[in-house]
Amino acid sequence: MRRKPIELAAVATAAVPGLTPTAVSSAPDDPADFDSALLLDSEGKRWRVRSPRHAEASARLETEFMVLRAFAPAIRAELPFLMPTVAGTVRQGPLSTFVYSHLGGSTRSVEDLSEGSAALAREIGAAMAAIHDLPHSLVSNADLPSYTPNEFRQRRLNELDQAATTGKIPPLLLRRWEHALEDVSLWRFNPCVVHGDLHEDNLLVDGERVTAVTGWTDLRIGDPADDMAWLVASNDQDFVDAVLQHYTSSRRDAPDAHLLRRAALSAEFALAQYLVKGLSAGNQEMIDEAESMLTALAEDVAEHGGQPISVEPLPQPVVPPAPDQPTDPESIPVPAVSKVTLLAPDSVSGLPAVPSSSAMPAVQVTPIPLDDVSGNDGGAGSAADEPGDDVPAVPVDAEGVVADDATADTADGPGGSSDAAADAADAPGESSEAAADGTDSAEEPSEVVQAPQATVVAADDTSTQSISVVAATPPEDTSTTALPVVEAKPR
């Protein structure tokens, strides 16, 4: 539950003996973590009270207390600004409230700072350079975190994975951030002491001077770009350039070339961190605000491209072209080795020649003229137009021999001839012998094996059983030219 400024004033009297507040007002701070107030006592002195809202925020205040104690007077004297001093603390259950001595100056918005004079931009740049030039021993002696460039990048990747699991980050931003984090050339920098929570609310300004820097809860050794994130987020390039110019001239170590790129990434990624914090705290107001800002950022990046954060450009997804759909059936290619053409003309089967794509050896079917088969001078038209004159076909077994019962049926059938049946019974023997002699067939592929003559099948019989293959090539020869030309006998 949020504490009112009057309640914080009561807590301050317990933390600092003899403190008698006469006036109180709220103070700007991180509303998700702290309740803050400014006090005026009976002697005209001013105090600042910070009360944590949860255990993590309380741990941060205790860390800041250790940091401020590590700043010896000699170090403070070299800084171009003042630092807070802890006047007292009081513990209430698991939370600790801290009271600080008042520092001169006031906070200003980013817009006010960017509209300030060149002298103010120089002051901000010099203050940031002084922080980044602090000795590393200040952090290591206080047992505070220290990260190498690769460790810091990996830590940020882990945070990105955690944010992605929420399902509330726009995919465009996830791809953009992941690409920047995997760009190793972007993460070549010299680690330095970093404030870790630097923004406009932690800068106290009096006129054209930066009088104090507060909020030392996240001091560490890491990426100096983190302290630049709030600056890049101002979207005032002239202000950014002015601060960066004085920052570069004041630093002992020259900043790397990709400082502002990582600062832009840090500014964008702060929205994802804010969302994760809201989800962890169960604060729906924070969640809604974070989602709204993430959506607005994704739309801005999609429309304008956003600020450059990667050295290598983000690869665009490639959309494969739609496959061509030929409308002409003849334009669809069919492998030549699988084509089988049945050359049965209309005069015999009543059907046109149909190309088949089934995988079988190429077989050429040679029709037998009706005059030779039935002795009917009427031609094919007579057989097709007069169903009463149709004669059933003579079946042939696998060895090419006409069945006896089929011969008898043919002789007795309407319009049949016993002499034609006898001739059909004698002829298959010769074809069978030719088919059995596979060697001779392979050596003389052009030899035509005569099929037995048979009667004509009705024109409406289109079953494939009406065709019998008499001869075939040897198994080892798969070429289509080695196949004999075989005549088909309709049933």
Side-chain angles (χ1 to χ4, degrees):
M1 185 179 65
R2 186 175 298 278
R3 293 184 176 184
K4 298 180 180 180
I6 191 65
E7 295 176 326
L8 296 178
V11 174
T13 59
V16 181
L19 175 61
T20 305
T22 58
V24 63
S25 65
S26 61
D29 210 326
D30 187 351
D33 295 331
F34 305 104
D35 296 323
S36 299
L38 291 177
L39 306 180
L40 180 65
D41 65 5
S42 56
E43 299 180 359
K45 292 183 179 181
R46 297 187 179 185
W47 310 83
R48 187 184 185 192
V49 184
R50 299 187 79 190
S51 179
R53 303 196 65 188
H54 48 80
E56 181 185 357
S58 180
R60 291 175 60 191
L61 288 181
E62 293 176 359
T63 300
E64 182 185 36
F65 179 64
M66 296 174 55
V67 170
L68 296 177
R69 292 179 58 182
F71 277 87
I75 297 177
R76 290 178 180 244
E78 294 181 357
L79 296 175
F81 51 81
L82 298 177
M83 296 184 62
T85 301
V86 177
T89 180
V90 59
R91 191 171 186 86
Q92 296 174 298
L95 308 180
S96 298
T97 299
F98 287 78
V99 180
Y100 304 86
S101 58
H102 178 69
L103 297 171
S106 60
T107 59
R108 297 183 185 179
S109 65
V110 177
E111 291 75 13
D112 291 340
L113 292 176
S114 61
E115 293 175 357
S117 63
L120 181 58
R122 181 172 60 251
E123 284 279 316
I124 296 174
M128 297 173 67
I131 296 173
H132 294 170
D133 283 338
L134 286 170
H136 288 203
S137 58
L138 180 69
V139 174
S140 58
N141 292 341
D143 198 21
L144 296 175
S146 178
Y147 303 101
T148 65
N150 188 56
E151 289 172 345
F152 185 83
R153 184 178 69 92
Q154 187 60 50
R155 181 171 178 262
R156 190 57 56 86
L157 276 171
N158 295 338
E159 292 177 343
L160 178 62
D161 292 340
Q162 182 183 6
T165 58
T166 65
K168 298 180 180 296
I169 309 294
L172 173 65
L173 297 181
L174 287 177
R175 292 194 302 268
R176 173 179 170 87
W177 297 339
E178 183 179 15
H179 177 69
L181 289 171
E182 291 179 350
D183 189 353
V184 179
S185 62
L186 188 67
W187 301 92
R188 294 170 181 162
F189 61 88
N190 293 325
C192 64
V193 176
V194 178
H195 182 279
D197 192 29
L198 192 62
H199 50 78
E200 65 275 13
D201 290 339
N202 287 331
L203 292 177
L204 298 180
V205 178
D206 184 10
E208 304 298 328
R209 294 184 57 251
V210 175
T211 58
V213 178
T214 62
W216 297 84
T217 58
D218 296 314
L219 190 72
R220 60 178 179 265
I221 296 176
D223 186 2
D226 279 2
D227 287 346
M228 298 279 186
W230 71 277
L231 188 67
V232 175
S234 66
N235 292 325
D236 189 331
Q237 193 59 44
D238 293 337
F239 175 61
V240 174
D241 292 340
V243 173
L244 183 62
Q245 178 182 358
H246 295 291
Y247 169 82
T248 304
S249 60
S250 302
R251 279 291 309 268
R252 286 197 294 264
D253 295 333
D256 64 281
H258 305 310
L259 178 66
L260 293 184
R261 290 179 180 269
R262 296 194 309 276
L265 171 63
S266 181
E268 293 182 7
F269 192 70
L271 300 181
Q273 294 171 319
Y274 186 64
L275 173 66
V276 172
K277 181 183 290 187
L279 290 170
S280 301
N283 190 326
Q284 190 60 42
E285 182 179 355
M286 291 178 59
I287 296 173
D288 294 340
E289 183 181 7
E291 287 189 272
S292 176
M293 291 188 293
L294 285 168
T295 301
L297 175 61
E299 293 175 352
D300 179 72
V301 171
E303 183 176 359
H304 304 290
Q307 300 187 43
I309 60 176
S310 300
V311 178
E312 296 293 333
L314 179 65
Q316 299 299 324
V318 178
V319 179
D324 295 336
Q325 299 294 336
T327 57
D328 186 5
E330 296 182 357
S331 64
I332 302 177
V334 179
V337 294
S338 64
K339 290 184 178 179
V340 178
T341 304
L342 301 181
L343 303 177
D346 296 341
S347 60
V348 176
S349 64
L351 295 175
V354 179
S356 173
S357 61
S358 58
M360 62 177 67
V363 178
Q364 183 177 10
V365 181
T366 304
I368 301 176
L370 290 180
D371 294 342
D372 296 339
V373 175
S374 62
N376 188 352
D377 296 332
S382 301
D385 298 338
E386 297 179 12
D389 296 334
D390 294 343
V391 179
V394 178
V396 181
D397 59 13
E399 298 297 328
V401 180
V402 180
D404 294 337
D405 53 351
T407 305
D409 293 340
T410 306
D412 298 336
S417 172
S418 59
D419 295 338
D423 294 339
D426 295 339
E430 300 176 359
S431 300
S432 176
E433 293 175 359
D437 192 359
T439 305
D440 295 339
S441 299
E443 294 175 354
E444 300 179 359
S446 61
E447 179 182 355
V448 178
V449 180
Q450 297 295 331
Q453 296 182 351
T455 55
V456 181
V457 70
D460 57 350
D461 187 353
T462 60
S463 64
T464 58
Q465 296 178 355
S466 61
I467 298 174
S468 177
V469 178
V470 178
T473 60
E476 64 275 9
D477 189 354
T478 59
S479 64
T480 58
T481 58
L483 295 176
V485 179
V486 182
E487 294 183 350
K489 173 178 67 57
R491 185 179 60 186

